[in-house]
Amino acid sequence: MGRLPSNKYPAACAAGHCTVYVQAGAGVRVRQEGRWQVYCLADAPKEGGATAVQPPDAARARSTANRFAGPCMECSVQVEAGAGALVPDEDGKRGVQCPMCQVVAFRHERWDENDQFGTDPWISDAVPPGCAATTSLRILALNRECWKCKESTVCVVGLYPSRPARTDRWARWVDKDERAWIKPLLADARFERIAESIKPRWSSTVSGRYLSNGCQHCDALQGDFPVEEEASDLVREDGVDALDILLVAQVPTPVWQRVVHGERGSGSSLLM
Ligand SMILES: [Zn+2]
Ligand SMILES: [Zn+2]
C-alpha cells in the first residue's frame, strides 16, 4: 500500500466523490492542511496522482458488517449482505445501516470545520456500494378544503418507503425541492391536473415565490405551513396510513437519501 500510514479510527473517506465509510485500519491517513484526513484505499492520494489499489469494500471490517440483506434502519434502502454495518437502534436491537447513513452519522459525530462551514453536499449522486439503485416510495397526498373556493383539493405532502424498515416510522415532508421531481412523475402517471397545480406561486408568508401546492379548482396557493400542520395532525393520530397514496414510484436511491438527510445532513422534517 505504499508509505502512507493506515487510519487508527474509522472515518468517512475524505474524497469528495466517495461515500465509503472506512473502518479502522482499512484505509490510509494523510496530513492535509494541518489535520489528518482518512481515505479509502481506492482514493488514497499518491505522489503523481496515481490511485486505486483495491476495492474499498474488501477492507470493510467483517465483525460489524450485516450478515443478511435488509432495509437500512434509517432510510429503508435495501442493503446487500455485507455491504452495511450493524448498529444498535433506539430499542437496543441491532439493525442494518447503509453506507450513506453511516457517512452522515459519522459527519454528525465528527462535526469538524469542513462539516460545519463547508459547502460540499454530504449525499453524492452515486448509489452507495451494495445498495439498491432505486427505492420504491409512496407519494402521499392530503385531500383538503381550499381556503378560497371551499372545493376539495389534493396537496402532495409526503414521501414514505413502500417497504419501510421497522425503525423508519414517519413520512418525510415534501417541500419545493422534492415537488420539482415529483411533478413530472405525477404527469407521467396521468395525474395531470395535480401535476399542473404544482407551480411557483407568491407567498406573503415567506415573502417569495416557491414551487407550491395549489387548488385544482381556483389555483389558490395551498401554503406549506397550514398544509404541513394539517398533514402532521393526521399522521400523529392515525399514522402514515392516514394520508392517501397517490402513487408508488421507483426513485433513484441517492435522490431519496437526499430527502432523508438533506443536502448537508440537516434532514427533512418528519410528518409526526
Ligand atoms: Zn440508509
Ligand atoms: Zn380553490
Side-chain angles (χ1 to χ4, degrees), residues 72-77 97-101 257 261:
C72 170
M73 54 191 269
E74 283 173 69
C75 68
S76 297
V77 165
Q97 194 181 41
C98 76
M100 187 66 81
C101 291
Q257 289 178 321
H261 293 298

Side-chain angles (χ1 to χ4, degrees), residues 146 148-149 215 217-218:
C146 170
K148 196 172 184 188
C149 73
C215 176
H217 308 278
C218 73

Side-chain angles (χ1 to χ4, degrees), residues 8 28 41 44 50 61 76 81 85 91 103 126 132 140 193-194 199 205-206 230 259:
K8 277 191 205 151
V28 296
L41 295 182
S76 297
D91 303 325
V103 168
L140 302 171
R193 273 187 82 195
I194 299 171
K199 61 186 187 191
T205 314
V206 300
E230 216 173 303
V259 176

Side-chain angles (χ1 to χ4, degrees), residues 146-151 153 215-220 222:
C146 170
W147 58 271
K148 196 172 184 188
C149 73
K150 310 296 178 198
E151 294 280 345
T153 189
C215 176
Q216 282 105 49
H217 308 278
C218 73
D219 202 43
Q222 310 294 307

